[in-house]
Amino acid sequence: MPRFYARRRLSVAAAATALISSVALFNAPTASAALPTPVSGATARTYLASLTVATEDRTGYNRDLFPHWITQSGSCNTREVVLKRDGTNVQQDSSCAATSGSWYSPYDGATWSAASDVDIDHLVPLAEAWDSGADSWTTSRRQSFANDLTRPQLIAVTDNVNQAKGDQDPATWMPSRTAYRCTYVRAWVQVKYYYDLSVDSAEKSALTNYLAGC
């Protein structure tokens, strides 16, 4: 049976304890996040070799410069589309808000039964994109990046895990589920390659090491 967790409002430091102590079991299908399949390991290695290596520009980032959760169709915005895509048995109300369902977070292996427990992660964070070249983009291009449903850039995950990740790149943060790390770095490189974003030296070294096993 899948693991379901009750809603929590905990510090990041307490997150690991909560994942063990707040478990309740239900008879329901396990959800599975449906991130668009990233390129193969071989292709990711080729892409990585072509990326510009540059020191990140750690100035001027403002989340509002990346218009996100725009309307995709009808009354459904990007977050709601991803919640529907990545969940199982998701029911939505007339305003497209998810009222029930289950969501499996591939970063940590937790399954949630409330949409409020789930964040939509920008796999390559907005601040990371800004520091890697998006500071020179138009607002329209930043909007496209922040709402990209075609590339493997948006995924439903445990909220506290997403918050702990913040704007870190693979040199300092990776999913705790080692089984997902190959998918994660392949997706990371694909997104950076598509958007012509740079990598810093520590980031490239980490990606090279992880991709060697993909």
Side-chain angles (χ1 to χ4, degrees):
M1 290 185 291
R3 294 177 297 162
F4 285 80
Y5 296 83
R7 179 64 182 151
R8 18 167 228 184
R9 289 293 183 188
L10 302 175
S11 67
V12 170
T17 300
L19 292 176
I20 297 172
S21 63
S22 61
V23 177
L25 297 177
F26 295 89
N27 291 316
T30 299
S32 180
L35 182 79
T37 302
V39 296
S40 68
T43 299
R45 288 189 288 273
T46 299
Y47 284 179
L48 178 60
S50 72
L51 294 181
T52 299
V53 179
T55 301
E56 291 183 351
D57 172 17
R58 288 285 179 180
T59 60
Y61 168 69
N62 183 329
R63 189 173 177 86
D64 291 340
L65 296 172
F66 292 81
H68 54 285
W69 306 164
I70 62 172
T71 299
Q72 292 290 343
S73 63
S75 58
C76 299
N77 67 25
T78 306
R79 171 181 164 84
E80 291 153 350
V81 170
V82 178
L83 284 173
K84 178 72 171 179
R85 183 198 73 186
D86 287 6
T88 292
N89 296 331
V90 177
Q91 299 298 314
Q92 296 171 308
D93 63 20
S94 59
S95 65
C96 207
T99 57
S100 63
S102 60
W103 292 268
Y104 174 77
S105 169
Y107 287 1
D108 58 334
T111 298
W112 301 93
S113 57
S116 58
D117 285 321
V118 177
D119 278 356
I120 307 304
D121 180 38
H122 289 96
L123 195 138
V124 175
L126 303 182
E128 168 70 21
W130 177 270
D131 296 339
S132 305
D135 56 342
S136 66
W137 291 354
T138 63
T139 299
S140 176
R141 185 160 178 78
R142 287 194 288 265
Q143 176 175 291
S144 295
F145 177 84
N147 297 275
D148 191 345
L149 295 168
T150 303
R151 263 62 55 180
Q153 164 66 348
L154 298 174
I155 186 169
V157 298
T158 301
D159 56 359
N160 286 353
V161 172
N162 182 51
Q163 292 151 25
K165 171 187 171 180
D167 62 1
Q168 297 180 81
D169 69 33
T172 55
W173 189 92
M174 286 290 285
S176 60
R177 280 188 66 241
T178 57
Y180 199 70
R181 290 178 176 178
C182 182
T183 300
Y184 186 83
V185 293
R186 285 157 46 214
W188 182 283
V189 171
Q190 180 179 347
V191 171
K192 283 224 158 177
Y193 178 83
Y194 180 84
Y195 285 98
D196 195 24
L197 295 169
S198 64
V199 291
D200 63 42
S201 57
E203 177 187 356
K204 182 171 184 178
S205 178
L207 290 167
T208 298
N209 291 336
Y210 285 115
L211 285 172
C214 292

